[in-house]
Amino acid sequence: KIIETTYTSVDFAPSILKVMGVTDPNVNFQGVDFSEELLSNEKVSSKDVIRYVFDSGNNMSWAAAIMNQYRLVVSGNDVPWLFDLNQDPYEIYN
């Protein structure tokens, strides 16, 4: 199975726990539960979802938006970077 939808690390806990059958209505996670996509019969799955990632330092210096194979990085210290992750998976060429 290939999942091409963009997810972030916070999405894994609610998804894995759901697959394991672990539920607790008193516990909320920040992430998105993608267990339905994970367990679907689709061999290749790709949802049009935009994920946002931010610098976690004290002085936030960049933010990124990621959708499918594209990543846009905006920084207060540089010009915006747009990467096609299919063509440039290591984000070397802007």
Side-chain angles (χ1 to χ4, degrees):
K1 176 162 199 120
I2 298 171
I3 296 178
E4 296 178 339
T5 307
T6 302
Y7 291 104
T8 61
S9 58
V10 297
D11 301 326
F12 286 88
S15 304
I16 292 170
L17 290 172
K18 178 78 175 271
V19 169
M20 295 172 55
V22 177
T23 59
D24 185 340
N26 299 317
V27 177
N28 294 314
F29 289 95
Q30 292 180 356
V32 175
D33 174 9
F34 64 91
S35 61
E36 185 176 308
E37 183 178 7
L38 183 64
L39 298 174
S40 75
N41 291 329
E42 296 176 278
K43 292 186 182 211
V44 177
S45 178
S46 179
K47 310 280 186 216
D48 287 332
V49 179
I50 299 174
R51 296 286 180 238
Y52 299 97
V53 182
F54 301 93
D55 179 5
S56 61
N58 291 333
N59 299 321
M60 287 182 49
S61 61
W62 60 267
I66 307 155
M67 182 176 174
N68 298 336
Q69 85 250 29
Y70 297 105
R71 180 177 304 201
L72 174 65
V73 181
V74 179
S75 169
N77 303 323
D78 204 348
V79 297
W81 309 323
L82 178 62
F83 298 101
D84 180 333
L85 300 175
N86 287 345
Q87 298 294 319
D88 183 14
Y90 300 109
E91 301 176 28
I92 296 172
Y93 304 103
N94 186 355

